[in-house]
Amino acid sequence: MKAVLWADVFQAALMFVCLFAVIVQGCLLLGGIRAVFDIADEGGRLFIPKFSFDLGAHYTFINIFAQGMIITMSSYGGGQCQVQRLMTVRNLKRSRIATFISIPMIVSFQLLCCVCGLVLYAYFRYCDPMSSNNTPIHSADQLMPYFISVTLGHLPGIPGLCICGIFSASLSTVSSAINSLASVATEDFIRPMFPKLNVTALHTKIMN
């Protein structure tokens, strides 16, 4: 579990580096962060949800807050990956501290992702690579790698670092999920069936 946690830290750092690189380069090309938001506002990409109790409305403060609470509580309260991370610290107090520390990190990461999306929209607003006949991309998921290769390709090492950041977003989740799956399988299936089995020794043999 310690290796998974350190891998998550390293991968999170790569993700932040990738987002900062895209945002900074986009702002330099477009004339600043204000220009990015002005272009997004003109294109109708900035939407402020209304404070309404209308259950039929798509985006309101009420349903956004409810959706955020449900997802966050299910992840932090019952998600195996997150709970297993919190159980690695010494006591409950440290688990609470770790949870509160993670909140601004997650919020800042999500905000950076939103700004990154606005940068991509502002940069490609007049030339959509998806609609071009000679486009090198065929999916919206390829927009960010394409933006990185076009705007940061002249900087040695930066495109590769950014692509590593994109892959880190998925690898971090996969590594945590595999580790959690191994723990659940060991504790809930193998240990009850073989109570005398030394699970730690079994893990050591598998790793070696």
Side-chain angles (χ1 to χ4, degrees), residues 139-196:
S139 172
D141 296 333
Q142 298 173 324
L143 276 175
M144 181 175 284
Y146 180 65
F147 175 85
I148 292 171
S149 64
V150 170
T151 62
L152 296 171
H154 63 286
L155 300 175
I158 299 299
L161 191 63
C162 292
I163 297 300
C164 288
I166 295 175
F167 279 107
S168 295
S170 59
L171 293 177
S172 175
T173 304
V174 171
S175 62
S176 300
I178 292 176
N179 184 73
S180 299
L181 181 61
S183 299
V184 170
T186 301
E187 295 296 329
D188 295 346
F189 293 97
I190 297 179
R191 190 184 292 275
M193 295 174 61
F194 306 98
K196 296 183 179 181

Side-chain angles (χ1 to χ4, degrees), residues 22 29 32 38 46 50 55 71 76 82 112 119 125 132 136 138 140 144-145 160 184 191:
V22 171
L29 294 174
D38 289 340
L46 295 181
K50 298 180 180 179
L55 298 179
I71 293 179
Y76 280 84
Q82 189 65 28
L112 288 175
V119 169
R125 67 189 186 280
S132 176
H138 306 284
M144 181 175 284
V184 170
R191 190 184 292 275

Side-chain angles (χ1 to χ4, degrees), residues 9-208:
V9 172
F10 181 71
Q11 290 163 350
L14 286 177
M15 288 187 285
F16 274 99
V17 169
C18 175
L19 291 175
F20 275 117
V22 171
I23 293 173
V24 171
Q25 181 67 7
C27 290
L28 292 176
L29 294 174
L30 296 168
I33 189 67
R34 178 179 290 274
V36 172
F37 277 90
D38 289 340
I39 294 171
D41 189 29
E42 293 174 1
R45 293 302 188 271
L46 295 181
F47 176 77
I48 300 177
K50 298 180 180 179
F51 191 84
S52 172
F53 291 94
D54 183 10
L55 298 179
H58 284 180
Y59 296 105
T60 64
F61 278 110
I62 301 300
N63 59 27
I64 291 176
F65 179 78
Q67 180 256 2
M69 286 292 294
I70 293 172
I71 293 179
T72 304
M73 291 176 65
S74 63
S75 175
Y76 280 84
Q80 174 67 21
C81 296
Q82 189 65 28
V83 172
Q84 188 169 334
R85 290 191 185 104
L86 296 176
M87 291 182 65
T88 58
V89 296
R90 296 179 181 177
N91 49 47
L92 180 60
K93 181 179 179 180
R94 290 180 177 269
S95 295
R96 290 173 177 170
I97 294 174
T99 302
F100 284 116
I101 291 176
S102 69
I103 292 175
M105 300 294 293
I106 294 174
V107 172
S108 61
F109 178 77
Q110 292 177 345
L111 290 176
L112 288 175
C113 288
C114 293
V115 176
C116 190
L118 295 179
V119 169
L120 294 178
Y121 167 77
Y123 184 80
F124 292 115
R125 67 189 186 280
Y126 294 133
C127 182
D128 185 6
M130 295 293 298
S131 60
S132 176
N133 294 328
N134 298 322
T135 179
I137 64 176
H138 306 284
S139 172
D141 296 333
Q142 298 173 324
L143 276 175
M144 181 175 284
Y146 180 65
F147 175 85
I148 292 171
S149 64
V150 170
T151 62
L152 296 171
H154 63 286
L155 300 175
I158 299 299
L161 191 63
C162 292
I163 297 300
C164 288
I166 295 175
F167 279 107
S168 295
S170 59
L171 293 177
S172 175
T173 304
V174 171
S175 62
S176 300
I178 292 176
N179 184 73
S180 299
L181 181 61
S183 299
V184 170
T186 301
E187 295 296 329
D188 295 346
F189 293 97
I190 297 179
R191 190 184 292 275
M193 295 174 61
F194 306 98
K196 296 183 179 181
L197 179 65
N198 190 336
V199 178
T200 304
L202 177 63
H203 287 172
T204 303
K205 290 182 179 180
I206 294 175
M207 294 298 294
N208 294 332

